[in-house]
Amino acid sequence: MQHRPSSTSPAPSARCPECGAPPVDGLDCWGQLGAVLAWEWQDPELFALHFVTVASYNLQHPAQFTVEALAGLKRAYLDHLDRGTPVSEIRARAGAGAKGTQRVRKPQEDQHPVLRLFDRTIADVYQPDHPQGAADRVRAWASAIRHQLAADSEE
Ligand SMILES: [Zn+2]
């Protein structure tokens, strides 16, 4: 038994039940995303990848989204990565779709996370105190997800 200082909110010790990311430096995958997004302010290259970073995270946590929202997100992600569709166009499209009463997120009680392992997760992007090269790590992460999404649609 290790002796650790007790805390009211213990650091996460388990992998994420949905994306499988291990905790890094006491942060769960959501905390790691927040840390990476905070780096954007000092890193224009990473800032330019904001859509890719957030969409990659969301695609690895699909349980919270409705089927329609998830399909739209996948399409936008692949259009952006494969065809270079600008984020401004994706936003305009999403805005048009959101005008109706369609829900994007499922109610909490309908969310059932299923573990799906990918080659890379946010834990491969977030390296504590090492923001250098984060944009390259986001691109590698996105390419692993893109690869798996493309394999899904070929099934
Ligand atoms: Zn996760």
Side-chain angles (χ1 to χ4, degrees):
M1 200 53 199
Q2 283 186 333
H3 292 280
R4 284 169 164 272
S6 61
S7 160
T8 46
S9 61
S13 57
R15 286 174 175 267
C16 170
E18 197 166 17
C19 75
V24 176
D25 209 22
L27 297 175
D28 62 7
C29 65
W30 174 249
Q32 293 167 43
L33 175 71
V36 169
L37 295 181
W39 289 343
E40 289 180 350
W41 302 104
Q42 297 124 38
D43 185 343
E45 198 187 347
L46 185 65
F47 185 74
L49 288 169
H50 180 81
F51 169 78
V52 175
T53 305
V54 172
S56 296
Y57 183 86
N58 285 339
L59 286 169
Q60 289 189 326
H61 298 85
Q64 60 186 309
F65 298 105
T66 61
V67 173
E68 299 77 26
L70 198 59
L73 179 61
K74 271 186 200 169
R75 217 176 312 122
Y77 189 73
L78 294 176
D79 280 354
H80 181 67
L81 293 179
D82 293 351
R83 287 189 275 281
T85 304
V87 173
S88 56
E89 197 181 315
I90 290 167
R91 292 238 167 84
R93 217 195 284 167
K99 272 178 192 148
T101 51
Q102 278 187 324
R103 284 179 300 134
V104 171
R105 283 173 205 273
K106 287 181 183 170
Q108 193 84 43
E109 64 271 20
D110 292 341
Q111 299 180 11
H112 306 289
V114 174
L115 178 64
R116 177 166 185 197
L117 296 175
F118 286 78
D119 290 342
R120 282 171 189 268
T121 65
I122 185 71
D124 295 292
V125 178
Y126 177 61
Q127 297 177 2
D129 303 320
H130 191 74
Q132 301 84 356
D136 285 336
R137 298 196 294 274
V138 166
R139 279 189 281 263
W141 178 32
S143 113
I145 296 171
R146 194 218 148 277
H147 188 76
Q148 260 168 277
L149 291 182
D152 286 354
S153 55
E154 277 160 21
E155 274 166 17

